[in-house]
Amino acid sequence: MPTINNDLHGSAPDTSPVALIIIDMISTFYFEDGEALFEQTRPIIPKLAELRRRCKQAHIPVVYVNDNYGKWQSDWSKLIEHCRESDRGRQVLERLQPDADDYFILKPKQSAFFATTLETLLLYFKAHTLILTGVAGDICVLFTAHDAYMRDYQIVVPKDCIASNSAELTAQALDQMERVMKADTRPSSEIDLDRLKQPPQEE
């Protein structure tokens, strides 16, 4: 484990053993299969909004990790404004608009870790547990969970805070994350945030 330089000049002021990761929820949902994904996503929006509220109240940092849609000159503010122009994207932003104290990372591929600053940010948080949420459950959430597991993070994937193009695909992804990555997939309302802040139990 590398030595952490605690003087990061205010770039990452939070220290937290837990981080909430929100994957690809800032979107127009106007793409191939976007309608199917949005229909599955709509029910998770209030659940994820409430989990986000609880995390912020518990001083758990919220990290939005979002696809850059292949636009390497994009930034998060332009992405949000672009998504707000679509009816589907606006419905998400009404409940999940990032706050000024949230973190926002653009990613070029499926995993939130691949070619991004997420790993460095989590190192400065001193995080040991990640709550993974968002879309698509069987692609970007699953790829991120794989990479998090390989990095020895404890993984929580609340089953009511992820969505895929179908309920069947979500169920398959949850099953794999439970079996292979030892993910805790209980509903968001059953997550004990204070317990998650405790050091992981040795097996």
Side-chain angles (χ1 to χ4, degrees), residues 170-191:
T170 298
Q172 291 170 12
L174 286 166
D175 177 70
Q176 183 172 358
M177 287 185 278
E178 286 178 353
R179 288 187 301 103
V180 179
M181 289 155 268
K182 310 299 187 292
D184 181 345
T185 63
R186 72 186 68 196
S188 56
S189 61
E190 298 179 13
I191 295 174

Side-chain angles (χ1 to χ4, degrees), residues 18-182:
V18 184
L20 173 63
I21 312 297
I22 300 177
I23 301 170
D24 285 344
M25 287 295 290
I26 309 302
S27 172
T28 64
F29 289 91
Y30 281 98
F31 45 76
E32 185 178 359
D33 296 328
E35 182 175 2
L37 180 58
F38 184 71
E39 287 307 306
Q40 294 293 318
T41 299
R42 187 153 34 191
I44 78 169
I45 295 172
K47 301 288 188 180
L48 181 48
E50 172 60 15
L51 177 60
R52 176 176 174 267
R53 184 196 67 78
R54 288 177 55 210
C55 285
K56 293 177 77 71
Q57 188 175 49
H59 305 291
I60 292 173
V62 177
V63 184
Y64 287 79
V65 185
N66 227 88
D67 192 65
N68 71 357
Y69 301 106
K71 297 179 180 179
W72 289 92
Q73 294 177 323
S74 64
D75 62 57
W76 68 267
S77 58
K78 290 180 181 178
L79 176 64
I80 288 173
E81 291 310 311
H82 172 67
C83 293
R84 198 189 306 280
E85 294 173 359
S86 74
D87 177 64
R88 297 170 187 169
R90 188 163 54 250
Q91 290 182 55
V92 175
L93 286 167
E94 284 173 356
R95 300 295 302 272
L96 290 169
Q97 168 82 30
D99 293 332
D101 61 348
D102 293 333
Y103 297 86
F104 205 105
I105 294 172
L106 290 174
K107 64 181 177 69
K109 300 291 284 185
Q110 290 85 352
S111 172
F113 285 93
F114 182 80
T116 76
T117 59
L118 179 61
E119 189 166 11
T120 299
L121 182 61
L122 295 174
L123 178 65
Y124 279 97
F125 287 163
K126 302 179 184 177
H128 57 63
T129 298
L130 305 183
I131 306 173
L132 302 180
T133 65
V135 297
D138 63 324
I139 305 175
C140 294
V141 176
L142 181 62
F143 277 59
T144 300
H146 272 292
D147 282 355
Y149 181 72
M150 294 292 288
R151 289 164 171 78
D152 294 323
Y153 286 102
Q154 180 173 297
I155 304 167
V156 179
V157 187
K159 62 179 64 180
D160 57 348
C161 289
I162 72 167
S164 310
N165 286 1
S166 70
E168 292 76 14
L169 289 172
T170 298
Q172 291 170 12
L174 286 166
D175 177 70
Q176 183 172 358
M177 287 185 278
E178 286 178 353
R179 288 187 301 103
V180 179
M181 289 155 268
K182 310 299 187 292

